[in-house]
Amino acid sequence: MTQEIDNKRQRLLDMTEHPERYSEKEIEETMHDPELQDFLEMLALTKRAADPHRNDTADVEQEWQRFAAAHPQTTAHRFRRVAAAVTTGILVTGLAVAAIVKTSVSSKKQETVKTETLSKPVAVDTTKKATTTLPVDSISAKPKVYDNVPLQTLLNDMASYYHKKLVNQSGDKQNVRLYFEWDQRKSLEENIGLLNNFNRFDITVEGDNIILK
Amino acid sequence: MKENRTYIERLFRAHYQEMYHLAKCILMDDAESKDVVSEVFEQLLAHPIVLLPESETGYLMQAVRNRCRNVIAHKNVRERVERLLLNDEKSVSMFTEDQLVNRLTELIYQLEPPIRKQIVLLRFADEQTYQEIADALGVSKVTVYNHLSGAIDQLRQQLKKQRP
């Protein structure tokens, strides 16, 4: 090996440790030097062969959960199943709330204590709204389906329905598109809880505001 | 649509490990490798195609290679030389040939004189600087360079002997 090639190799090795000491042009020239190609390739291969973490494995289940959370459309079919199960539970609760409201209206007495034990204050408001705008038996109405719709659209509809104002503090997360089945008989907090399960944004209810972070 | 989601999940679970391993061999970075594999599945979600069972592996592995090369191409030259990232087809193929890399690992442990093995491992397994290696071994930095250079030549010759 000539002294010249020896010097070129030393320079290349120094570049791998201190690239900041060289101009981009110098590095490009060295990396494309025909006399260094075999050396560079074997050096890179040796780095990989010596890597103690080369055969590390990934936790596939964890990675799938992460991917699915970041891409709601991949879990829509699962989410539908979950939503269906939750809907059944809420339906029973909803009927119970409706029955109490109906009784209280007919007897013109305020059964506030009983109502509060069955649902949160916001849910009571929702139920009141339902009793004023919809017949009581419409409680079994199907959820409103948002398929590939921006989060902003869904939250604006919710804000309007629950008499809140949407405040976006998230930058462009409001443009995330998702699949969601909005059961309007559930409280705002319950629906927000389901949305937060996507793990892509943080939605909170503070006073009269729905805040997207 | 629902069928496509189920399909993606099956592909993901069946091929993730192999795809991650391939990306890591090329990029030498855990997070970037996971990003690359995710991007391949994102692409499948965005543009659903059905792969023939016999071509699934080949398609997904090539998609990982292509994305890795794209990642490397977008890095600045300083990062490329520091991490020894090469994106020509020949190098990428070599890095991902498990049998070759495993054989090279064995050869590293057979390097002579033993100081060459020490230097290779201190540099690439322990990620020590050349000065730290020189101090640890009580030699000059230039001696470290020369031994590493000699080790690389020796490894190439040994591999050449064993490969047709």
Side-chain angles (χ1 to χ4, degrees):
Chain A
M1 188 166 57
T2 66
Q3 186 61 43
E4 189 194 355
I5 291 178
D6 209 15
N7 290 341
K8 281 184 178 180
R9 286 185 176 192
Q10 286 190 16
R11 189 174 149 91
L12 169 61
L13 291 174
D14 190 53
M15 277 179 186
T16 64
E17 188 173 283
H18 297 292
E20 74 284 357
R21 292 178 181 168
Y22 300 87
S23 71
E24 291 192 1
K25 191 180 170 207
E26 285 174 318
I27 298 173
E28 286 283 11
E29 281 174 0
T30 299
M31 287 186 83
H32 292 100
D33 186 332
E35 290 185 321
L36 289 176
Q37 288 314 295
D38 287 347
F39 180 75
L40 182 59
E41 193 173 74
M42 189 54 62
L43 190 67
L45 191 60
T46 303
K47 180 180 167 78
R48 284 154 179 82
D51 178 13
H53 303 292
R54 191 166 69 85
N55 292 318
D56 285 359
T57 55
D59 182 336
V60 177
E61 179 59 34
Q62 186 182 324
E63 293 307 324
W64 168 252
Q65 293 302 333
R66 188 175 297 158
F67 182 82
H71 304 86
Q73 65 271 41
T74 60
T75 48
H77 62 297
R78 292 180 155 206
F79 195 79
R80 276 192 194 107
R81 280 188 221 123
V82 173
V86 173
T87 302
T88 309
I90 294 300
L91 186 61
V92 174
T93 309
L95 285 171
V97 172
I100 287 166
V101 171
K102 193 177 180 184
T103 306
S104 66
V105 168
S106 63
S107 62
K108 296 186 179 178
K109 289 178 183 175
Q110 295 296 314
E111 300 266 351
T112 51
V113 175
K114 281 186 183 176
T115 305
E116 281 172 8
T117 60
L118 286 163
S119 60
K120 295 174 184 173
V122 175
V124 173
D125 289 341
T126 308
T127 311
K128 281 179 183 169
K129 179 175 178 173
T131 57
T132 55
T133 58
L134 298 166
V136 172
D137 58 5
S138 70
I139 206 90
S140 62
K142 289 178 181 174
K144 201 168 175 183
V145 177
Y146 288 75
D147 198 350
N148 195 25
V149 171
L151 178 61
Q152 182 187 26
T153 304
L154 169 62
L155 289 180
N156 270 327
D157 288 355
M158 281 190 175
S160 171
Y161 185 83
Y162 294 108
H163 307 295
K164 304 282 182 189
K165 186 182 165 198
L166 176 62
V167 178
N168 178 39
Q169 298 177 352
S170 73
D172 60 6
K173 283 185 190 171
Q174 62 179 354
N175 299 322
V176 169
R177 302 180 84 86
L178 45 77
Y179 177 95
F180 188 73
E181 293 178 358
W182 174 22
D183 186 339
Q184 295 178 327
R185 293 157 302 173
K186 284 189 221 166
S187 71
L188 173 59
E189 281 80 359
E190 285 173 306
N191 279 303
I192 295 296
L194 288 171
L195 282 170
N196 282 333
N197 283 339
F198 284 121
N199 290 328
R200 285 197 71 181
F201 29 71
D202 182 21
I203 308 167
T204 54
V205 179
E206 294 175 22
D208 289 334
N209 295 326
I210 297 174
I211 301 175
L212 171 62
K213 296 175 185 169
Chain B
M1 191 68 182
K2 178 177 170 180
E3 287 72 15
N4 184 46
R5 292 170 195 137
T6 310
Y7 176 64
I8 296 289
E9 182 171 355
R10 185 189 67 72
L11 282 181
F12 192 102
R13 291 182 185 281
H15 297 283
Y16 188 93
Q17 201 71 265
E18 200 179 356
M19 293 166 75
Y20 163 77
H21 179 65
L22 177 67
K24 197 147 168 285
C25 279
I26 300 170
L27 297 174
M28 303 284 292
D29 183 275
D30 182 66
E32 282 184 353
S33 303
K34 287 176 178 170
D35 285 349
V36 159
V37 179
S38 287
E39 284 166 16
V40 171
F41 286 108
E42 273 170 18
Q43 190 68 18
L44 278 176
L45 266 178
H47 305 285
I49 57 167
V50 176
L51 305 174
L52 295 171
E54 62 272 22
S55 66
E56 266 178 25
T57 305
Y59 174 89
L60 293 171
M61 295 300 132
Q62 192 53 47
V64 168
R65 277 191 202 96
N66 292 344
R67 287 203 169 263
C68 285
R69 292 177 63 188
N70 199 32
V71 167
I72 294 171
H74 281 87
K75 289 191 179 298
N76 69 53
V77 70
R78 289 194 172 87
E79 194 173 356
R80 271 189 276 144
V81 76
E82 189 173 22
R83 285 171 52 184
L84 286 171
L85 299 173
L86 310 180
N87 67 350
D88 61 283
E89 190 61 52
K90 184 184 162 210
S91 300
V92 166
S93 300
M94 280 181 80
F95 298 160
T96 57
E97 199 182 318
D98 264 352
Q99 210 178 353
L100 175 66
V101 183
N102 288 340
R103 184 69 194 121
L104 191 57
T105 307
E106 289 172 19
L107 292 172
I108 289 170
Y109 284 89
Q110 295 166 18
L111 279 167
E112 289 291 345
I115 192 173
R116 289 186 173 179
K117 176 184 76 178
Q118 282 179 288
I119 289 171
V120 167
L121 293 176
L122 288 172
R123 177 64 185 150
F124 295 130
D126 294 356
E127 296 182 335
Q128 291 194 20
T129 65
Y130 293 116
Q131 190 58 58
E132 285 170 341
I133 297 169
D135 294 343
L137 300 177
V139 297
S140 71
K141 205 166 152 183
V142 172
T143 302
V144 173
Y145 287 146
N146 289 337
H147 274 304
L148 183 54
S149 182
I152 298 301
D153 285 337
Q154 198 177 322
L155 291 170
R156 190 172 60 238
Q157 285 159 9
Q158 293 294 325
L159 268 189
K160 204 183 277 184
K161 274 185 201 168
Q162 295 172 6
R163 297 191 65 168

